[in-house]
């Protein structure tokens, strides 16, 4: 690997770490996403949201419902402006979530994501997971 590509790789990893920190509640890292970020998430009403403000509001809502929300990258692949990752999210339902009062239950969700990085910022994030896992683990579905 050339010195230039090593530096680019390290910058991508730093961007990813800031992005993970943001998901884990460090809102001082909000500038790691572009103003025009697109988040594709199967749990969103239209499947995606657009813009930094909407992204921040979404994260704050999730963290309000699950104050101990924690994302861990189980595996990363970084190449040419794209980060592919397998992740695990854990959290405890302690606040209202999508109109559901707190259950006190813990969740653990596994999924994958594809993040597109440009000029040191996340411009697009696509999440892949089963959105039914959250209501199932919160006890909101019938067996």
């Amino acid at each position: 690997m050339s010195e230039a590509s090593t530096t680019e790789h390290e910058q991508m990893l730093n961007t990813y770490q800031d992005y993970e920190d943001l998901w884990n509640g460090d809102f001082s890292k909000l500038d790691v996403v572009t103003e025009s970020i697109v988040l594709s998430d199967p749990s969103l009403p239209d499947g995606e949201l657009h813009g930094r403000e909407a992204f921040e509001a979404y994260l704050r809502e999730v963290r309000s419902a699950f104050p101990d929300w924690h994302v861990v990258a189980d595996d990363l692949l970084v190449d040419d402006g794209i980060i592919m990752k397998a992740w695990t999210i854990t959290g405890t339902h302690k606040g209202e979530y999508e109109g559901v009062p707190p259950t006190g239950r813990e969740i653990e969700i596994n999924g994958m994501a594809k993040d597109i990085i440009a000029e040191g910022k996340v411009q697009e994030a696509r999440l892949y997971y089963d959105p039914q896992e959250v209501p199932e683990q919160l006890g909101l579905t019938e067996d």
Side-chain angles (χ1 to χ4, degrees):
M1 190 179 297
S2 71
E3 193 171 312
S5 63
T6 299
T7 301
E8 180 181 335
H9 184 82
E10 289 170 356
Q11 289 172 340
M12 294 268 299
L13 288 174
N14 289 338
T15 296
Y16 173 75
Q17 186 59 60
D18 286 347
Y19 186 60
E20 186 176 286
D21 291 347
L22 174 60
W23 274 94
N24 287 329
D26 185 352
F27 286 93
S28 72
K29 306 276 177 108
L30 190 59
D31 66 348
V32 75
V33 299
T34 63
E35 286 286 341
S36 60
I37 185 170
V38 175
L39 173 67
S40 297
D41 181 331
S43 72
L44 292 170
D46 294 324
E48 60 183 38
L49 60 78
H50 299 262
R52 186 185 290 168
E53 286 183 20
F55 182 78
E56 179 182 9
Y58 172 76
L59 282 184
R60 288 191 183 277
E61 180 182 339
V62 167
R63 293 204 59 83
S64 175
F66 300 89
D68 59 347
W69 180 272
H70 190 73
V71 178
V72 173
D74 301 316
D75 200 9
L76 285 175
L77 176 62
V78 178
D79 191 36
D80 199 27
I82 297 174
I83 297 177
M84 298 292 296
K85 65 183 175 254
W87 49 256
T88 301
I89 293 172
T90 56
T92 309
H93 186 211
K94 294 185 176 182
E96 186 175 308
Y97 177 69
E98 297 182 356
V100 176
T103 63
R105 290 185 177 211
E106 294 180 4
I107 63 166
E108 182 174 314
I109 307 296
N110 295 295
M112 298 191 72
K114 176 183 179 184
D115 302 326
I116 301 191
I117 312 296
E119 298 176 10
K121 295 185 183 282
V122 179
Q123 68 179 19
E124 183 178 340
R126 294 189 169 275
L127 305 181
Y128 303 93
Y129 66 99
D130 180 357
Q132 283 302 110
E133 286 188 57
V134 174
E136 286 172 2
Q137 290 184 32
L138 293 180
L140 304 176
T141 59
E142 295 183 22
D143 292 327

